[in-house]
Amino acid sequence: MKIRAVITVLSLWLLSIGLPSAFAGTAQLSLSVRQTPSNSEALLTFYGVIKPAKSGITVSIQIEGDGVWKTTRFKSKTVATGAWKITALATAIDSRVSYRASALIGGKKIYSPIRSIVIKQTPTMSETDPILVMGQFGPGGRIHGADISRWQHPNETTIDFVKMYEAGVRFVMIKASDTRDVADALSLKYLTMDHIAAQAAGIYTGFYHYAILPDVTDDFEIIRDATAQAQKATWRLASIGGYTERDLPYALDLENKCVRLSTSGACQKYASRDEVTLWATTFLRILKEKTGKTPILYSYSNFLEGSMNRNAELSQYPLWLAQYAIDPSNPLNQPGLKASGCYVHSWTGANCDSQWTMWQYTSCGIAPKYGVPGTRLDLNVFRGNAQAFMDLVQGSWIPTMVDLMPSNEPTQLTVVKQSASTTNKYVTFTVTVARPDLSPVVTGSVKLIFDALNPPSVNPTQSVIRSTSGEWTLAIKGVPAGNYIGKILFTDGSQTHAQSSQPVSFTLEQGPTPSPTPSPTNKPTPRPSVDGCANQIKN
């Protein structure tokens, strides 16, 4: 018995030391190097990612000299997404220099591909003078910006931020998070690479969260959902290392108050003014308190007036206003004005003007001009001067361990309600999933798993409708008559929250068989194509 125990312990020890080696055997380390515009000295930015993603890995920069690789003093640690970045002053000017990155994983050194660069003396920016840093190259002599998401990465192509900088863009707002899990995962996919590459090219970066409001009316439930979504944004920011000295604040993209869709995609229910306002103030307040930077609200004038209450707290947040078909190069033009009368909302000024900070003036920027794959790009201008812009950038936030997104955090699933009657009706389950502190989970979804010994004869269709954070209605269609057992399973593809489940059983009686729908004999007339860029500024 003792011999067996010793063998077991030895096996576990060998397994434990083998895991890092296995990781090291599959790990890959990438490297890019850019000369970041600087008015004082040659500034180099090294950046890359370790795959599979692992945080806390030390990455060192090596330089080649006389055929020998020497380790420099420049080091960094990877963040949760596996990304890393190092900024350093270069000493060799107008000469070709070769670098590589190295990392120690499981006792084994891995290296990146070799990258060479010719370091130029030509200055293009100043770290001390905001006027020289920014350059007001946008229409109307304003600071020019863009905003990007996965749509600017067709076929997973990358953005040439150096070309974007050379075209006069000085800030870019990056979609970093989304209420919906699938869209959120796509945001994360491109966030890290775009954030680091844009800053390496000399462009300031900000972030935004696209919000879908909850299908609830109780104030407590609205606050819980806003808190959960603010947590997602905070976790996302923490995953890239927090705010740097070149980051604009996080923005809340709030432009949709539909909380319930029909099967055809039409909106069945909208949030009220009170509900929209409560949700927005809660989200923004939490983000400000957590990160120390005042977040931004993105929306458009009709939404601000028709869907939100005037609120003194809201007015303290900078407004990023969308309005197209107005030329910002005309000094008399500005967004947020009606043809007659005023838009009345939290940012309405004394002269009916909107107190905007950033203006998204087109969704039809000429993408290739700015190094962006595809045909269209959202473009923006900043209202104030360079010093006002630098004031908005001021402040940083470095997350601690408690701020990082958990990994496989335990969850508790509860089936609150279920309904099953006849085969012509849906089988439905109302499900909640909670974290250990009883707050709702932030990511993940639910599904019904039938018992393998008694599955339905056909594969039913399952639809999941999100009511609010951590609460779903699961609807199953096409289940034949019979008695069934199974379980409702919660899974989270991001592995933030661990799986949990609850057993269920139900009986379905045979219902009336619906008459088949006749197939149409006439083909529908095709709709004429619509020019989405009609009357927009093509800059």
Side-chain angles (χ1 to χ4, degrees):
M1 193 70 178
K2 288 182 180 179
I3 294 175
R4 182 179 298 173
V6 170
I7 292 173
T8 302
V9 171
L10 181 61
S11 299
L12 290 173
W13 178 76
L14 289 171
L15 180 61
S16 68
I17 64 173
L19 284 174
S21 298
F23 179 86
T26 60
Q28 293 181 323
L29 177 63
S30 67
L31 168 67
S32 295
V33 59
R34 288 275 187 270
Q35 182 172 354
T36 301
S38 171
N39 196 49
S40 52
E41 299 179 82
L43 189 68
L44 291 183
T45 301
F46 304 90
Y47 59 97
V49 65
I50 281 182
K51 293 183 179 180
K54 190 171 180 65
S55 64
I57 300 296
T58 299
V59 178
S60 302
I61 299 300
Q62 296 185 334
I63 186 170
E64 185 185 26
D66 299 325
V68 178
W69 286 99
K70 299 178 181 179
T71 301
T72 69
R73 61 186 176 86
F74 300 110
K75 299 179 180 180
S76 179
K77 288 186 180 293
T78 58
V79 296
T81 58
W84 59 272
K85 182 179 77 169
I86 298 170
T87 302
L89 294 177
T91 55
I93 304 299
D94 293 328
S95 60
R96 189 175 185 83
V97 186
S98 295
Y99 298 97
R100 70 181 184 184
S102 68
L104 185 65
I105 303 178
K108 179 182 178 182
K109 274 227 171 173
I110 64 170
Y111 299 95
S112 72
I114 298 169
R115 297 287 181 255
S116 299
I117 185 172
V118 176
I119 303 166
K120 300 296 184 182
Q121 184 67 59
T122 308
T124 56
M125 281 178 59
S126 165
E127 293 297 325
T128 57
D129 187 345
I131 300 297
L132 296 177
V133 168
M134 297 312 305
Q136 293 168 280
F137 303 117
R142 295 188 174 102
I143 298 169
H144 209 196
D147 57 275
I148 57 175
S149 66
R150 68 183 179 95
W151 300 111
Q152 278 65 56
H153 293 275
N155 301 316
E156 301 189 1
T157 47
T158 57
I159 294 172
D160 185 349
F161 287 102
V162 173
K163 186 173 182 179
M164 184 181 287
Y165 179 88
E166 291 171 346
V169 169
R170 290 297 178 266
F171 70 94
V172 61
M173 302 297 290
I174 305 169
K175 184 177 180 182
S177 51
D178 193 299
T179 303
R180 303 157 297 183
D181 279 0
V182 174
D184 186 65
L186 288 169
S187 299
L188 176 60
K189 181 177 181 178
Y190 297 107
L191 167 64
T192 303
M193 69 170 72
D194 288 345
H195 179 228
I196 294 176
Q199 290 196 359
I203 298 173
Y204 284 77
T205 52
F207 318 95
Y208 69 94
H209 173 85
Y210 184 84
I212 300 293
L213 299 178
D215 187 4
V216 291
T217 56
D218 179 78
D219 283 0
F220 176 76
E221 293 295 326
I222 292 169
I223 292 171
R224 274 171 60 92
D225 182 78
T227 302
Q229 291 202 45
Q231 178 67 80
K232 176 182 277 191
T234 305
W235 278 344
R236 186 56 43 80
L237 185 59
S239 75
I240 60 172
Y243 281 130
T244 73
E245 69 280 0
R246 301 182 70 86
D247 281 326
L248 290 157
Y250 224 109
L252 168 62
D253 181 348
L254 187 56
E255 53 184 293
N256 178 13
K257 64 177 180 179
C258 180
V259 298
R260 187 184 304 165
L261 294 171
S262 68
T263 54
S264 65
C267 188
Q268 288 185 319
K269 181 186 175 185
Y270 294 96
S272 69
R273 285 174 177 268
D274 290 345
E275 292 160 0
V276 175
T277 306
L278 176 61
W279 193 98
T281 52
T282 302
F283 180 99
L284 294 166
R285 185 188 312 124
I286 290 172
L287 207 55
K288 180 180 181 181
E289 291 172 352
K290 185 62 184 177
T291 66
K293 276 196 178 188
T294 302
I296 299 167
L297 179 77
Y298 169 90
S299 197
Y300 58 97
S301 297
N302 283 331
F303 189 91
L304 298 174
E305 180 183 63
S307 303
M308 303 180 76
N309 295 326
R310 294 190 71 182
N311 181 285
E313 182 181 351
L314 277 178
S315 64
Q316 70 174 295
Y317 299 105
L319 176 63
W320 177 12
L321 192 62
Q323 186 167 347
Y324 307 150
I326 299 176
D327 188 354
S329 64
N330 184 333
L332 299 180
N333 285 343
Q334 61 171 305
L337 294 176
K338 280 185 177 180
S340 61
C342 285
Y343 283 111
V344 179
H345 52 69
S346 299
W347 292 267
T348 302
N351 298 317
C352 284
D353 58 329
S354 293
Q355 299 301 301
W356 57 275
T357 299
M358 295 192 300
W359 171 14
Q360 187 187 71
Y361 68 90
T362 185
S363 66
C364 294
I366 304 169
K369 173 181 174 181
Y370 301 96
V372 176
T375 57
R376 295 173 56 172
L377 176 67
D378 294 345
L379 294 175
N380 305 269
V381 289
F382 181 77
R383 183 171 189 163
N385 59 22
Q387 185 58 61
F389 183 91
M390 298 307 295
D391 289 344
L392 197 61
V393 172
Q394 288 301 315
S396 61
W397 175 65
I398 300 175
T400 63
M401 286 299 295
V402 297
D403 299 314
L404 298 176
M405 182 178 286
S407 177
N408 286 317
E409 178 185 66
T411 61
Q412 178 62 52
L413 181 147
T414 304
V415 177
V416 178
K417 181 182 178 182
Q418 74 177 67
S419 173
S421 56
T422 54
T423 55
N424 60 313
K425 296 180 180 180
Y426 283 95
V427 178
T428 62
F429 300 91
T430 301
V431 183
T432 62
V433 183
R435 302 174 62 197
D437 63 359
L438 301 184
S439 64
V441 293
V442 177
T443 55
S445 189
V446 296
K447 60 183 176 181
L448 171 63
I449 305 294
F450 287 96
D451 181 75
L453 298 178
N454 184 34
S457 56
V458 295
N459 191 21
T461 302
Q462 300 194 32
S463 303
V464 182
I465 302 169
R466 173 188 177 272
S467 301
T468 184
S469 293
E471 182 176 325
W472 300 267
T473 297
L474 177 62
I476 300 101
K477 181 181 180 181
V479 183
N483 299 314
Y484 297 96
I485 58 174
K487 64 180 179 181
I488 304 297
L489 176 67
F490 167 77
T491 57
D492 179 11
S494 72
Q495 297 184 346
T496 303
H497 308 294
Q499 288 189 357
S500 56
S501 63
Q502 180 177 321
V504 293
S505 61
F506 61 92
T507 299
L508 273 184
E509 302 290 341
Q510 181 62 48
T513 303
S515 302
T517 303
S519 301
T521 54
N522 298 323
K523 293 184 179 180
T525 304
R527 295 181 179 179
S529 60
V530 177
D531 182 5
C533 289
N535 302 319
Q536 285 206 47
I537 306 299
K538 300 177 179 67
N539 190 11

